[in-house]
Amino acid sequence: YQAIVLSGLATENYGTVSAVNLTSLEGAFGQSISTLALGGLVGFNSGIVEDCNNMANIEMTTQNSSTINLMFGAIVLKNESGGQILGSQNNADISITVRRNGQNIYVGGVVYENGGSIIASGNNAGVSAQGSGTFSSTIGGVVGYNNGTASHIFNNGTVSSSQSSGSAGLIYYYRGGRVETAFELTGSTIINSIYGGAVNQGTIYGSGNSTSS
């Protein structure tokens, strides 16, 4: 088995990516791989990603004999310590279909793993994982796994997993991070989730529902 890391623009960013929109993302893999990690624009960000948007509907299917772990962030896969994501949004649906029992799905509408800071960013579309078998899912409308700072983030879309407690509207997993002023906007729907964050080991400030957008 192989591990593959891909991105639409840069596998690693140490500079500034500004005002870039992702409009399409396509690919196919014939070989068996243990981990497929995808960042819509950037794989690993140690610089600045600002005013960027995902405008492409993303549909991914894991085959019976292929990927064991699938990791995806629509804008950034992993925001490293010191990395910044500013004013960026997911504006198109992300849908993952699981074909094999025991696969692990990790998704963030903006970024899968945040170890830096994400500010004034959010999700405006559907983020989902579904399958007929048994699989593990970590689905966050904005962030899948947070160990950094998230400020003024929002979810305005439907976030779902066919696995019980497999999704969360804003951030699925907080661990040692800090979240400030985070909102679920009116009309958002969270399916099979504990509201906000399914697991919290960090600090949350000013999170809640908003009745207007």
Side-chain angles (χ1 to χ4, degrees):
Y1 285 102
Q2 301 181 44
I4 298 177
V5 178
L6 298 172
S7 63
L9 185 65
T11 303
E12 296 179 273
N13 176 52
Y14 297 95
T16 299
V17 177
S18 180
V20 178
N21 292 334
L22 178 68
T23 57
S24 66
L25 185 66
E26 298 179 5
F29 301 90
Q31 72 269 41
S32 294
I33 53 179
S34 61
T35 298
L36 176 59
L38 296 168
L41 289 177
V42 175
F44 300 95
N45 179 51
S46 297
I48 297 173
V49 175
E50 60 181 5
D51 301 324
C52 293
N53 300 283
N54 174 43
M55 310 297 290
N57 289 322
I58 307 295
E59 295 183 1
M60 289 183 279
T61 300
T62 64
Q63 300 301 321
N64 289 331
S65 61
S66 61
T67 310
I68 297 172
N69 302 300
L70 174 61
M71 302 176 181
F72 180 72
I75 306 295
V76 175
L77 173 66
K78 183 178 181 181
N79 194 35
E80 305 279 13
S81 176
Q84 299 179 63
I85 300 173
L86 312 172
S88 298
Q89 299 182 22
N90 175 52
N91 295 310
D93 291 340
I94 300 168
S95 176
I96 298 174
T97 301
V98 180
R99 299 291 191 195
R100 174 184 172 185
N101 288 339
Q103 292 182 321
N104 304 306
I105 308 301
Y106 309 95
V107 179
V110 175
V111 56
Y112 167 62
E113 183 175 344
N114 177 46
S117 61
I118 175 171
I119 301 171
S121 300
N123 173 52
N124 291 307
V127 183
S128 66
Q130 58 276 325
S132 57
T134 300
F135 62 94
S136 171
S137 64
T138 299
I139 313 292
V142 182
V143 182
Y145 181 99
N146 186 62
N147 193 34
T149 298
S151 177
H152 294 84
I153 62 171
F154 64 89
N155 176 55
N156 194 28
T158 297
V159 183
S160 66
S161 171
S162 61
Q163 300 296 296
S164 178
S165 296
S167 62
L170 293 165
I171 298 173
Y172 184 87
Y173 198 105
Y174 306 91
R175 185 172 183 178
R178 179 183 177 96
V179 180
E180 304 171 334
T181 318
F183 287 95
E184 295 281 354
L185 300 181
T186 298
S188 62
T189 303
I190 315 303
I191 302 172
N192 284 335
S193 169
I194 299 172
Y195 166 74
V199 181
N200 175 43
Q201 293 183 3
T203 306
I204 305 172
Y205 293 91
S207 300
N209 289 305
S210 174
T211 57
S212 65
S213 58

